[in-house]
Amino acid sequence: MFLEVRGLTKTYGRRPVLAGIDLAVPREKTFAILGRSGCGKTTLLKILAGLEEPDGGTIRLGGEEITALPPGRRRALYLYQEPLLFPHLDAFENVAFGLRLRGAPETEVRHKVDAMLAELDLPAEGRKMPHQLSGGERQRVSFGRALIVEPALLLLDEPFSSLDGETRTAMQQLFQRIAAAHSITALFVTHSLKEALLMGDSIGLMRDGRLAAYTSKDEFLSDPESGVGAEIAFWTTLQRSTP
């Protein structure tokens, strides 16, 4: 497995937030984590990114023990719910930020950023400031800024939750296309059952700091705890009651 987590725990005060999390994600696959607000999803991602420290457990990425490594050495990149672009930089420079930090030559920066903006369907938006972009465009720029530095693991914390339905669907399709093109390994956190099924190659259900990882989507669909049965029953009842 490319990402291996064993026995991860975290407590805030006397409140356990993560209660022995185990998970394994193969290379170039997306693991979707479904759960309600407050169940520990964001804390898990932040610990994997190195933004918070666990109380116990281990994290291995690509066979390397990274539990104690600082964020800059983990090759894991965390994307927040909001794009959080640099407001004083245009779209091109937001995407270029990581390359410039690494001291990449200007010709390399130009070539890679132009190619990334084109891949994100933003070839003409490079000189626009963040406030001139739509919500979906800002999220695309945020993706570009993350992908340009070629992270080994992408951690997505409900990245499309603030978008309208049509834009959200377009971003889901864009992510799937880019994930395949760049061979991305990702954890995708969401509270939407439909989105978890769409985005994940495999699925985990998180409740009260515990994670149930399913070996297949069929196993998830057949589990009464997944919520799928209740969702189907709701739409079936609604359809029958509609004249």
Side-chain angles (χ1 to χ4, degrees), residues 133-153:
L133 302 171
S134 68
E137 288 171 339
R138 288 194 295 271
Q139 193 61 271
R140 293 184 191 199
V141 172
S142 181
F143 271 130
R145 187 173 63 187
L147 295 174
I148 204 78
V149 295
E150 300 177 348
L153 178 66

Side-chain angles (χ1 to χ4, degrees), residues 90-99 113 116-117 141 144-145 148:
D90 61 24
F92 182 99
E93 290 300 332
N94 263 283
V95 175
F97 184 77
L99 294 178
V113 175
M116 181 60 68
L117 289 173
V141 172
R145 187 173 63 187
I148 204 78

